[in-house]
Amino acid sequence: MEGRNTGEPGQKKAGQYIIDRYKELGILNPPGSENYYQRVPSEFMKRGFAPKLNDSENIWAFIPGTEKPEEIVVISAHYDHVGMKNGEVFNGADDDGSGTVAAMEIAKAFQQAKKDGFSPKRSILFLHVTGEEHGLHGSRYYSENPLFPLANTVVDINIDMIGRRDSLNGHKENGKYVYVIGSDRLSSELHTINEAMNQKYVGLNLDYKYNDRKDPERIYFRSDHYNFAKKGVPAIFYINGTHEDYHGPNDTPDKIEYDLLAMRTKLAFAVAWEIANRENKIVVDKDGK
């Protein structure tokens, strides 16, 4: 896939792979859309002196809700990466191949539940966004051109890098953790739900280091959930932190720890399931700061 750089042939191949998988699962593109693509034009992604990008696409798939279909739970992950440098492929298995396959596996689980007679009450939009590496362009485009009103969007669950571990806070020795960012910025209920679902079903160490308002990395502002949060949509972001292969050619599939990837994906699914099926929308009771 040549590193899946935004708008280049390798990324478009990856996009077609994602779509083919949704078709195999019987998960359709959303109502109101022509197909699985939301085109993101080159002009929208042009910023300052940055190199011009080709037209690209967000990819979306949809499972309708049964009782509150107009209320939307978004599960997002970016499927672009940084491409090739000096003829070497920068694979991006963790960044964000891990989040991309997590979203697809969550979709598979929701679709299986639907077949078993347990359709979600609210609708689920699986949103694979483009252009993250160049400035969160795909999620910004969706937030400014939403298919469904953001007022009806209940939450964005964003997954970006959940297949590896970093070396901070003892994580090198115990990888059963995930950094949680943004859960308490707009909705106290979202934060509570995430903690409860983790305690009930998964048992990860929830690390809030990067959610600290004073943390210099400012990761809250650096992934796709932020384009929802700044529009007032509660958002939660899962990440394993950076590692020695971050944005390097050695971020390869053999280094993914699939047991950790599965645990973190289960947590995201459990939170999505709870929010999709609870009686009331989660409340927005914080100012986002």
Side-chain angles (χ1 to χ4, degrees), residues 92-238:
D94 192 29
D95 187 11
D96 184 29
S98 62
T100 300
V101 300
M104 295 163 71
E105 285 294 309
I106 291 169
K108 180 181 178 182
F110 269 104
Q111 185 72 342
Q112 185 61 51
K114 179 181 174 182
K115 289 179 180 177
D116 292 342
F118 300 98
S119 291
K121 293 178 181 179
R122 293 177 176 84
S123 298
I124 317 292
L125 178 67
F126 301 95
L127 186 64
H128 298 271
V129 291
T130 188
E132 189 270 353
E133 300 287 7
H134 292 280
L136 314 183
H137 293 311
S139 56
R140 183 167 60 90
Y141 189 82
Y142 181 86
S143 72
E144 295 177 15
N145 303 273
L147 186 61
F148 305 102
L150 292 184
N152 291 348
T153 302
V154 179
V155 69
D156 173 46
I157 299 170
N158 187 47
I159 310 169
D160 187 357
M161 297 176 58
I162 59 164
R164 299 274 299 265
R165 67 176 83 181
D166 68 13
S167 58
L168 304 179
N169 302 329
H171 297 157
K172 204 69 179 173
E173 291 72 39
N174 182 1
K176 294 181 179 179
Y177 75 95
V178 69
Y179 291 108
V180 179
I181 301 169
S183 61
D184 64 345
R185 302 276 181 135
L186 283 157
S187 173
S188 56
E189 281 188 331
L190 175 56
H191 183 77
T192 301
I193 288 167
N194 183 64
E195 293 243 337
M197 293 301 101
N198 179 60
Q199 185 175 9
K200 187 173 182 179
Y201 296 114
V202 189
L204 288 167
N205 169 28
L206 302 181
D207 193 324
Y208 295 102
K209 167 182 165 56
Y210 294 118
N211 196 49
D212 187 331
R213 275 57 166 178
K214 296 179 181 178
D215 187 81
E217 296 290 333
R218 291 172 60 81
I219 293 178
Y220 175 64
F221 304 96
R222 289 170 47 191
S223 193
D224 294 297
H225 63 282
Y226 182 64
N227 283 318
F228 288 88
K230 72 182 184 182
K231 299 276 189 180
V233 176
I236 185 169
F237 174 32
Y238 299 108

